[in-house]
Amino acid sequence: RTAGQPRSRGISIALWGRFIETQVMPTPTILVVDDDKLIRWSVSVVLGHAGYRVHEAATGKEGLAAVLEHRPDLVLLDIALPDLDGFAVLEAIRQTPPDLPVLMMTADATSETARQAARLGACGQLDKPFDPALLQVTVSEALKLATPSEYTND
């Protein structure tokens, strides 16, 4: 699969002697890049229960490798990482699949961080700590904006 294409598979169903072809909805894959193990765990639990496939990375370098390995549909990226600045990771992601949606996460939200994230191509910013319901809505909306026909019934 190439970046931006959904993971899906066709299924044949035998129903009263007839075969019906159906398409299974894709399962979006989310990559969470954060050095805080508790944040990664809580985001993974919330999004996993919401039906997403979730991968984790603790550093910027791990996150960049995971983008190439897992080809996520969305990245949640912390700004303050131990090895690389989150903005540097975002710039590197833009060189790989340039249309990959990235939501920045930060505990120190300022208007400058939001402007810089937008300037570098992030589709939004989540301020930590965040409410699980807000996380789900924000992820869902980011996926809809990125690929409207893949994850909605539109």
Side-chain angles (χ1 to χ4, degrees):
R1 143 179 127 82
T2 60
Q5 290 182 330
R7 287 181 184 84
S8 63
R9 54 188 187 270
I11 296 180
S12 295
I13 302 172
L15 186 62
W16 294 291
R18 290 196 253 163
F19 284 97
I20 301 169
E21 291 290 326
T22 186
Q23 190 72 16
V24 176
M25 290 302 293
T27 301
T29 300
I30 312 296
L31 173 62
V32 181
V33 184
D34 199 305
D35 59 318
D36 186 324
K37 187 175 184 176
L38 182 58
I39 294 288
R40 288 193 319 270
W41 175 82
S42 59
V43 170
S44 293
V45 167
V46 169
L47 296 180
H49 284 185
Y52 298 104
R53 181 180 296 123
V54 183
H55 296 282
E56 300 178 17
T59 66
K61 289 178 183 174
E62 286 178 14
L64 290 171
V67 165
L68 296 173
E69 179 182 348
H70 301 295
R71 302 245 183 238
D73 299 296
L74 175 68
V75 176
L76 299 179
L77 176 61
D78 188 24
I79 291 175
L81 294 168
D83 60 343
L84 296 171
D85 173 284
F87 295 119
V89 176
L90 176 58
E91 284 184 285
I93 287 173
R94 287 289 156 252
Q95 303 306 311
T96 326
D99 58 343
L100 175 62
V102 177
L103 282 169
M104 303 303 286
M105 301 185 297
T106 183
D108 302 312
T110 66
S111 58
E112 179 52 35
T113 60
R115 279 194 300 274
Q116 186 172 0
R119 210 172 28 248
L120 294 172
C123 63
Q125 179 173 294
L126 281 166
D127 300 335
K128 296 189 272 184
F130 35 77
D131 177 85
L134 176 63
L135 173 64
Q136 288 182 43
V137 168
T138 305
V139 164
S140 176
E141 291 302 312
L143 287 168
K144 285 178 189 175
L145 289 173
T147 50
S149 63
E150 292 179 20
Y151 303 109
T152 65
N153 293 328
D154 300 342

